[in-house]
Every structure is written in C-alpha cells, then in structure tokens.
Amino acid sequence: MSLYIDSMSRLHHDLEKNLVVTCPHCQTVAHITPSAVPRFEDLQLYRPAQVGLVYLCDACHMPIFLRFTVRVYGATRIELSPQFTEVERVREKFSFAYIPEDVELMFREALTCFSQGAFNAFASMCRRTAQTMFADLGEAGRLRLFDELNSVRELADIAPEIFAKMKGVLFGAELDSQAVLPLLDGYEAGIMLEVVKDLLYEAYVRKGKLQQAIMVRRFFLDETGSHLGLPGGDGTDALVDEAPRVAE
Ligand SMILES: [Zn+2]
C-alpha cells in the first residue's frame, strides 16, 4: 500500500481504483477521483502533520475533502497514511413538505446535530421538536403521538431500554418539567432519528399527502368529468355522489 505526493505535486495511490466513500452531497456510495493536491514545495516548507486533498465524486462531481496524516517528509516524496478523515459528513435528508414552519426549524437543527455526531444536542433538539409539535397539535394530538410511539415500538421491535430513553426524550418534559434528558449514543440516536421522522410523517405528511391527492382528484373530476371515462367501471364511480355530466 503506497500513497504519496511526488516532487511535481502529483498524487500516487496504488489503491486509487478502490477508493470509495459515501458522498455527502448525493449520498451515493461512489468512487472518488483526486482533483486538487497541495503543492509539494508548500508542504515541504511548512511540514504540517496533516494534509487535505480534494476529490470529485464520480457520481455527482461535487467536491469531497479528505484529510490524511503525513507519515514521512522525504526529499522527493511525501508519504501519507492511507487512513483518511472525511471532513464533511453525510447530511441527513428529510422532506419538509407539509411540516409547519416552527416544527421544521427545530427538526432541521436536530438533523444538523445528528450529521455532526452531536447526539445529545440532537436529543435536546428532538425534545424541542416534540414540544413544538405538541403546541401545534394540542392535547389530542399529543396523545395520538404517544399512541403512535407505542405502536412504533411494536412495529420496529425496539429494545426496551432504548424505547424508555426515547420516551424520556420526547415526552419526559410533559410529565415532569424537571425531567433530565437521557444520554444517547450514536446507535440510539440513529433509532431515535427514524422514530421522530415517523412521528412527523404520521402527524403531518400523511395527512397532507392524502388531502393533496383528494384535492387533485376532485379538481380533475370537476374539470373533465373524467369519472365517465372509465370503461367498464372499476367501482370507483360509486364514490361520486354528484350527478354525472356528459363528456364532450
Ligand atoms: Zn456525489
């Protein structure tokens, strides 16, 4: 295994063909190609312990920054350790369509904390997301979310101690305003992330999509009377209670 920068500032990497990362931009597991290498003279002059290289994602062509530790400053080559640090982490994605603005504000920050590996900051923002949802949905909505959380436990077969922590994070402050947030590790935070996404989906996205779809159906029905155009009928016409219009 050899990885070095030569005196012409060219990068040599014998395993270059196998260099694959999860791209922080397109989230594809993609091969990356070197696109910017620091100048040999500069490195020789300052001799930093680590050097940064820029690669291009082969899938989306966005830049990817990797940081390598220098092994040896030789006269004609600078040898790097093949292990690298990915400077940008993969950002968690979530579609905020149908989510109220104040809830979005909280959950966006929760996602940023998670992407940065700040899992307890993430937990704090999940609690604030939940509190904003409760304020928006009212008491009935809060109870519905609580039921939803319980059903998620069964659906996803979540371990009891992780479930207890999640309940503490999301609902703890509702039962006792002094309730301390439990500490989460990366694994627990990952499960929490999926559960909060599901709660947001159930509370807003599902309803929003359904309402949208029904509105679109009504619109086309009103515009074209297209319910007449179903040859043979598939039973859906029975749902239409207005008098059929004649299609032109
Ligand atoms: Zn990419």
Side-chain angles (χ1 to χ4, degrees):
M1 172 64 145
S2 120
L3 175 64
Y4 64 92
I5 298 170
D6 70 13
S7 57
M8 302 292 288
S9 306
R10 285 175 308 210
L11 183 71
H12 298 263
H13 189 181
D14 58 1
L15 293 179
E16 205 276 328
K17 285 191 171 57
N18 302 334
L19 193 55
V20 162
V21 300
T22 302
C23 173
H25 308 285
C26 67
Q27 308 204 349
T28 313
V29 178
H31 178 260
I32 54 177
T33 305
S35 79
V37 178
R39 278 170 16 116
F40 181 83
E41 296 82 357
D42 293 344
L43 295 177
Q44 283 293 2
L45 181 62
Y46 299 115
R47 302 204 162 211
Q50 296 190 317
V51 300
L53 303 183
V54 184
Y55 286 79
L56 283 190
C57 166
D58 286 6
C60 72
H61 307 123
M62 289 292 276
I64 294 178
F65 299 85
L66 301 185
R67 205 160 48 210
F68 293 82
T69 300
V70 178
R71 272 188 177 157
V72 181
Y73 277 98
T76 55
R77 56 162 77 176
I78 298 162
E79 281 185 36
L80 308 178
S81 163
Q83 280 82 39
F84 54 80
T85 307
E86 290 170 68
V87 177
E88 277 178 282
R89 298 183 52 125
V90 176
R91 287 188 64 83
E92 284 295 326
K93 282 191 177 165
F94 183 77
S95 163
F96 284 94
Y98 308 113
I99 308 282
E101 258 176 50
D102 46 354
V103 177
E104 173 178 343
L105 182 70
M106 296 298 155
F107 194 57
R108 264 194 199 283
E109 285 198 20
L111 292 178
T112 304
C113 295
F114 186 89
S115 299
Q116 297 299 324
F119 300 123
N120 290 300
F122 165 73
S124 301
M125 289 313 300
C126 282
R127 176 174 282 187
R128 292 187 67 179
T129 303
Q131 288 174 327
T132 312
M133 289 170 77
F134 302 154
D136 178 56
L137 298 167
E139 179 61 14
R142 188 172 71 85
L143 294 174
R144 212 167 52 236
L145 284 177
F146 193 73
D147 288 344
E148 183 59 30
L149 183 67
N150 279 311
S151 70
V152 166
R153 168 169 59 173
E154 286 162 30
L155 273 176
D157 198 18
I158 296 170
E161 57 279 11
I162 298 179
F163 182 77
K165 281 189 181 186
M166 271 194 311
K167 204 163 71 173
V169 169
L170 298 174
F171 291 89
E174 303 305 300
L175 308 168
D176 169 12
S177 60
Q178 302 297 310
V180 180
L181 276 160
L183 294 175
L184 296 190
D185 63 23
Y187 174 70
E188 293 163 340
I191 294 174
M192 175 102 184
L193 173 63
E194 294 310 320
V195 169
V196 176
K197 281 186 197 167
D198 185 71
L199 293 181
L200 285 167
Y201 186 87
E202 285 300 317
Y204 299 109
V205 182
R206 187 176 168 191
K207 181 177 155 200
K209 277 190 171 170
L210 198 59
Q211 286 177 339
Q212 173 86 15
I214 288 172
M215 204 175 75
V216 168
R217 283 213 169 258
R218 270 202 203 116
F219 174 79
F220 280 113
L221 213 59
D222 291 348
E223 283 295 298
T224 65
S226 62
H227 54 294
L228 293 177
L230 290 171
D234 58 1
T236 51
D237 283 2
L239 296 172
V240 179
D241 57 9
E242 64 178 271
R245 278 179 265 159
V246 179
E248 297 184 46

